[in-house]
């Protein structure tokens, strides 16, 4: 079952992230955390399920130790945000709070507040219909920003096939029409991005 909150932590690293990755793995992590590396940009990403905001208080010392260990090895500061679970068009496996897949994709969109409720209804019959009928998508979880400098909707998609087999589902003619419709009615000018990551345990 998906946790009520998701802590997303990302940090930019050098083109060869081996040292930063080793330093990250050498530090304590919160229960349930999963570590990934970026496939399109040199970053490390950690997803951590939370039951409530009170859990953040217990992570402060861990963050300080991690920041100190990583400081000589990274090219930018830590980015963190807390997302609130909304729904799961394709839930994670039973008992799991996150996708149990070799790859995830983060899909972010900032929705115009006046049409937010309309957007929630619209996406169920469009975006989520594509997701539910696409076998390459194993898990698809929908969140909304709670504490973030990137406000909006965040989808966490988990998949097990190669990225080149997964991506066509979101570049089809049908999905292109859905995206154009979304842009004209719901999405702000700068609020859209997608990013691919590979689970570190699966990386080669």
């Amino acid at each position: 079952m998906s946790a009520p909150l998701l802590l997303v932590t990302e940090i930019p690293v050098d083109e060869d992230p081996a040292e930063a990755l080793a330093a990250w793995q050498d530090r304590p992590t919160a229960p349930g955390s999963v570590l990934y590396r970026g496939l399109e940009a040199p970053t490390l990403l950690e997803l951590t399920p939370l039951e409530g905001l009170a859990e953040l208080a217990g992570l402060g010392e861990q963050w300080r130790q991690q920041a100190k260990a990583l400081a000589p090895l990274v090219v930018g500061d830590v980015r963190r945000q807390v997302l609130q679970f909304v729904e799961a068009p394709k839930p994670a496996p039973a008992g799991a709070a996150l996708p149990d897949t070799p790859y995830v994709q983060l899909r972010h969109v900032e929705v115009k507040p006046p049409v937010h409720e309309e957007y929630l209804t619209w996406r169920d019959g469009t975006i989520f219909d594509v997701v539910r009928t696409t076998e390459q998508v194993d898990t698809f979880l929908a969140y909304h920003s709670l504490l973030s400098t990137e406000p909006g909707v965040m989808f966490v998609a988990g998949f097990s096939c190669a990225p080149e087999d997964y991506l066509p589902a979101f570049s089809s003619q049908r999905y292109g029409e859905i995206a154009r419709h979304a842009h004209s009615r719901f999405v702000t000018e700068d609020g859209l991005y997608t990013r691919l990551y590979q689970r570190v345990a699966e990386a080669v």
Side-chain angles (χ1 to χ4, degrees):
M1 180 179 179
S2 299
L5 301 176
L6 180 66
L7 173 64
V8 180
T9 304
E10 188 164 15
I11 191 164
V13 297
D14 287 324
E15 290 297 330
D16 182 1
E19 285 190 83
L21 181 56
W24 193 312
Q25 292 178 303
D26 193 45
R27 311 309 305 174
T29 58
S33 294
V34 181
L35 184 60
Y36 305 85
R37 63 178 181 89
L39 293 180
E40 298 156 307
T43 68
L44 297 177
L45 171 79
E46 185 178 67
L47 300 181
T48 303
L50 302 173
E51 290 301 317
L53 288 174
E55 291 183 45
L56 295 175
L59 298 176
E61 181 57 31
Q62 175 186 308
W63 289 348
R64 283 188 288 273
Q65 293 180 18
Q66 185 183 63
K68 185 176 181 180
L70 287 171
L73 306 171
V74 298
V75 298
D77 209 341
V78 177
R79 283 85 162 145
R80 284 195 182 91
Q81 56 181 320
V82 178
L83 309 176
Q84 190 164 31
F85 177 75
V86 178
E87 56 186 321
K90 275 194 173 178
L98 295 171
D100 185 20
T101 54
Y103 301 96
V104 296
Q105 183 184 47
L106 299 186
R107 305 179 62 86
H108 179 270
V109 59
E110 184 179 345
V111 177
K112 301 169 186 175
V115 293
H116 182 77
E117 292 303 314
E118 182 185 354
Y119 166 79
L120 294 180
T121 300
W122 171 85
R123 75 183 186 182
D124 186 66
T126 53
I127 298 171
F128 291 175
D129 185 57
V130 170
V131 167
R132 293 185 187 108
T133 57
T134 300
E135 62 180 15
Q136 289 86 353
V137 180
D138 297 326
T139 301
F140 200 88
L141 310 175
Y143 297 86
H144 197 274
S145 58
L146 183 63
L147 298 173
S148 178
T149 57
E150 292 182 342
V153 171
M154 182 76 84
F155 299 130
V156 179
F159 61 100
S160 302
C161 60
E164 56 266 29
D165 295 325
Y166 161 82
L167 290 172
F170 298 99
S171 59
S172 66
Q173 182 177 355
R174 181 192 177 195
Y175 199 84
E177 289 298 322
I178 290 172
R180 281 189 287 275
H181 192 189
H183 286 181
S184 64
R185 290 177 60 188
F186 302 116
V187 180
T188 64
E189 288 297 320
D190 301 318
L192 177 65
Y193 67 76
T194 61
R195 297 173 184 162
L196 289 171
Y197 304 86
Q198 185 176 20
R199 191 167 179 158
V200 166
E202 306 290 339
V204 294

